[in-house]
C-alpha cells in the first residue's frame, strides 16, 4: 500500500488528489495539512480515518511546525503531494527530499524560490521529484527517453486566461470578479489571478528550467485557448512532439502518484471536430511573463523576490487595494529594490523573500487610491 501525505488538502489540487487516491485500491492517505480550512480538513480526515493532520491556522492532531517535518515524520509517507500555495510550500518540499521521500510537486514556488536548494538535496539523497502541473507533467512524459542533445526547445502552453486578446489599456480597469473568471480551469483564487496576468506561465518557465535542466532560451510559451495541448517538445529534425489531453488535473495527479508505474486508465479523448489554435503571448499587455523570464535568467535570489512580490501584489488586488495592471508594477518595483544574491542557503532565500515582501508592500502603499 502506497502511503500519501497530502499538503494543501483543502485546495483544488488537494481535493482532486484525494479523489484519485480514493479510487486507487493500492493507495491510502496517511496525513493531511492545510492552511486555514481546518473544518474541511477534519471532515476529510474523518472520512478516511487519517490520524495525522496539521492546520497552519490552528488545529490538527500534530503540532504545527514551520517546515511540517513533524507531520512527515509522524506519517512516514512514501509520497508527499505538495499542493500548498505560495512560498510556504518550500520548507516541506526540502524536508521531504531530505528524508529521501518522493515529492509529487504542485507547489511552483518550491522550484521558483528554492530551485538550487532542491537540486542540491536531491543530488545528495537521491529523492525523486515528479511534477504535478499539467504542463510539466506533459514535458516529463514527452522527454522520457529523448536524448537531451536532440531537444531544440520545450514549449509550454497557456490558455491566455480571461483577458486573452485585450490590450494593456483595456486591462487597466478590469475587476477582481473579471479576473477570477477563468475560461478553462477551476482553480484557487491566487493561481487564477496568476493565470490572468500570465505570471503563472512565467513561474512555470522557471520551474521547467530547474526540472529539465534547460536554458531559458530553450523554453518557449505559446497561447493555446483550447487547453488541450499541455506541452510540446521541438526536436532537432524539425518535428514537434505533442502531449494532448483533457483539461482535468486528476490526470497529471494520477501520473505523478503512480510514477514510474502506469497511470490509472481514463476516458479516450474525442479529437473529431476539435480545433487547435496557437498564438504568441502579448508581453506588452501581460508583462509578468517577461519579468519572470528576466528574473530566472538573473538567477540567485531574483526568482524568490519575483515570487514574494507577486504574492503581495495578488493579495492586494484580491483585496481591491490595487488595480490589475498594478500587479506587474509592484513586482517590477520589488525586483528593482531588492538586488539578487546567491541562493545557496535557505536563510538567503527566506531573507530575500522577506525583503521582497516589504518592498512590494511599500509599492502597494504608493498606488493611488
Amino acid at each position: 500500500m502506497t502511503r500519501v501525505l497530502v499538503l494543501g488538502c483543502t485546495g483544488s489540487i488537494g481535493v482532486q488528489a484525494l479523489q484519485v487516491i480514493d479510487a486507487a485500491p493500492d493507495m491510502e492517505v496517511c496525513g493531511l495539512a492545510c492552511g486555514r480550512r481546518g473544518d474541511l480538513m477534519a471532515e476529510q480526515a474523518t472520512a478516511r480515518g487519517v490520524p495525522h493532520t496539521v492546520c497552519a491556522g490552528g488545529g490538527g492532531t500534530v503540532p504545527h511546525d514551520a517546515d511540517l517535518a513533524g507531520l512527515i515524520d509522524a506519517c512516514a509517507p512514501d509520497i508527499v503531494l505538495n499542493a500548498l500555495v505560495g512560498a510556504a510550500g518550500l520548507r516541506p518540499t526540502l524536508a521531504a527530499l531530505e528524508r529521501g521521500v518522493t515529492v509529487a510537486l504542485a507547489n511552483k514556488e518550491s522550484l521558483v524560490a528554492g530551485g538550487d536548494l532542491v537540486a542540491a538535496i536531491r543530488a545528495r539523497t537521491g529523492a525523486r521529484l515528479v511534477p504535478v502541473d499539467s504542463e510539466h507533467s506533459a514535458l516529463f512524459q514527452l522527454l522520457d527517453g529523448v536524448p537531451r542533445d536532440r531537444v531544440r526547445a520545450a514549449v509550454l502552453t497557456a490558455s491566455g486566461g480571461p483577458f486573452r486578446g485585450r490590450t494593456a489599456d483595456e486591462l487597466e480597469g478590469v475587476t477582481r470578479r473579471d479576473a477570477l473568471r477563468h475560461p478553462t480551469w477551476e482553480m484557487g483564487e491566487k493561481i487564477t489571478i496568476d493565470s490572468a496576468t500570465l505570471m503563472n506561465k512565467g513561474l512555470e518557465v522557471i520551474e521547467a528550467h530547474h526540472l529539465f535542466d534547460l536554458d531559458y532560451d530553450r523554453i518557449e510559451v505559446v497561447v493555446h485557448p483550447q487547453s488541450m495541448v499541455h506541452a510540446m517538445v521541438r526536436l532537432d529534425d524539425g518535428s514537434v512532439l505533442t502531449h494532448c489531453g483533457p483539461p482535468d488535473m486528476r490526470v497529471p495527479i494520477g501520473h505523478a502518484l503512480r510514477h514510474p508505474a502506469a497511470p490509472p486508465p481514463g476516458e479516450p479523448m474525442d479529437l473529431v471536430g476539435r480545433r487547435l489554435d496557437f498564438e504568441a503571448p502579448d508581453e506588452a499587455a501581460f508583462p509578468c511573463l517577461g519579468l519572470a523570464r528576466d528574473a530566472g535568467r538573473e538567477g540567485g535570489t531574483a526568482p524568490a523576490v519575483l515570487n514574494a512580490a507577486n504574492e503581495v501584489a495578488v493579495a492586494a488586488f484580491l483585496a481591491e487595494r490595487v488595480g490589475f495592471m498594478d500587479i506587474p508594477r509592484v513586482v517590477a518595483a520589488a525586483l528593482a529594490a531588492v538586488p539578487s544574491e546567491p541562493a545557496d542557503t535557505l536563510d538567503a532565500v527566506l531573507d530575500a523573500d522577506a525583503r521582497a515582501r516589504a518592498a512590494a508592500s511599500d509599492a502597494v502603499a504608493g498606488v493611488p487610491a
Side-chain angles (χ1 to χ4, degrees):
M1 188 70 72
T2 300
R3 296 168 55 82
V4 184
L5 167 59
V6 180
L7 308 180
C9 61
T10 60
S12 175
I13 297 296
V15 169
Q16 291 177 84
L18 292 177
Q19 294 171 356
V20 171
I21 298 166
D22 289 344
D26 57 348
M27 289 186 179
E28 65 178 359
V29 182
C30 63
L32 298 170
C34 70
R36 296 182 303 275
R37 302 178 64 189
D39 52 347
L40 175 55
M41 182 187 68
E43 293 176 10
Q44 294 171 335
T46 299
R48 295 166 179 83
V50 178
H52 305 296
T53 61
V54 165
C55 178
T61 62
V62 178
H64 178 257
D65 187 281
D67 61 6
L68 293 176
L71 180 61
I72 296 171
D73 291 337
C75 291
D78 300 299
I79 300 174
V80 172
L81 181 103
N82 188 349
L84 294 170
V85 176
L90 174 58
R91 282 183 181 271
T93 292
L94 299 179
L97 294 175
E98 281 282 10
R99 289 157 173 77
V101 177
T102 296
V103 174
L105 189 65
N107 173 260
K108 300 180 187 305
E109 294 78 9
S110 290
L111 290 176
V112 172
D116 294 340
L117 300 177
V118 168
I121 293 174
R122 291 181 65 199
R124 186 171 69 252
T125 67
R128 291 191 304 124
L129 188 150
V130 186
V132 169
D133 279 350
S134 59
E135 297 84 358
H136 298 104
S137 176
L139 283 178
F140 189 77
Q141 296 171 63
L142 288 172
L143 291 169
D144 187 24
V146 177
R148 196 48 53 93
D149 60 2
R150 290 207 57 207
V151 176
R152 185 170 292 171
V155 184
L156 299 169
T157 60
S159 70
F163 304 134
R164 180 176 65 90
R166 298 199 193 185
T167 66
D169 287 343
E170 291 171 334
L171 290 173
E172 287 289 352
V174 301
T175 67
R176 177 185 189 276
R177 183 177 180 183
D178 295 332
L180 289 173
R181 291 174 175 166
H182 196 281
T184 307
W185 298 95
E186 292 288 337
M187 305 177 291
E189 287 188 343
K190 195 267 183 182
I191 193 172
T192 300
I193 301 303
D194 283 349
S195 179
T197 64
L198 289 195
M199 177 61 86
N200 191 49
K201 210 53 49 179
L203 299 179
E204 288 177 6
V205 167
I206 299 173
E207 276 189 281
H209 165 75
H210 288 291
L211 280 168
F212 307 113
D213 193 25
L214 290 170
D215 293 336
Y216 284 99
D217 290 341
R218 296 168 67 195
I219 305 172
E220 302 176 19
V221 173
V222 298
V223 174
H224 168 56
Q226 291 86 6
S227 297
M228 292 170 57
V229 173
H230 303 299
M232 297 175 280
V233 172
R234 297 186 185 275
L235 297 181
D236 55 358
D237 62 359
S239 61
V240 178
L241 304 179
T242 301
H243 185 290
C244 184
D248 184 345
M249 281 304 301
R250 289 171 296 185
V251 175
I253 290 169
H255 188 277
L257 293 180
R258 288 206 170 274
H259 183 79
E267 293 296 320
M269 188 173 188
D270 184 5
L271 298 176
V272 176
R274 302 290 187 99
R275 59 178 291 172
L276 304 177
D277 297 314
F278 302 97
E279 59 194 55
D282 181 353
E283 295 195 26
F286 302 97
C288 284
L289 178 57
L291 289 172
R293 194 181 289 275
D294 290 345
R297 285 196 174 104
E298 185 168 354
T301 57
V305 171
L306 171 96
N307 176 73
N310 180 62
E311 288 188 20
V312 171
V314 170
F317 173 71
L318 288 170
E320 301 182 329
R321 296 170 55 206
V322 301
F324 183 78
M325 292 303 289
D326 289 319
I327 295 175
R329 295 180 189 122
V330 168
V331 173
L335 285 166
V338 183
S340 179
E341 298 178 357
D344 48 4
T345 67
L346 179 58
D347 285 344
V349 172
L350 296 179
D351 178 66
D353 180 279
R355 287 187 290 134
R357 290 177 191 276
S361 296
D362 289 342
V364 166
V367 172

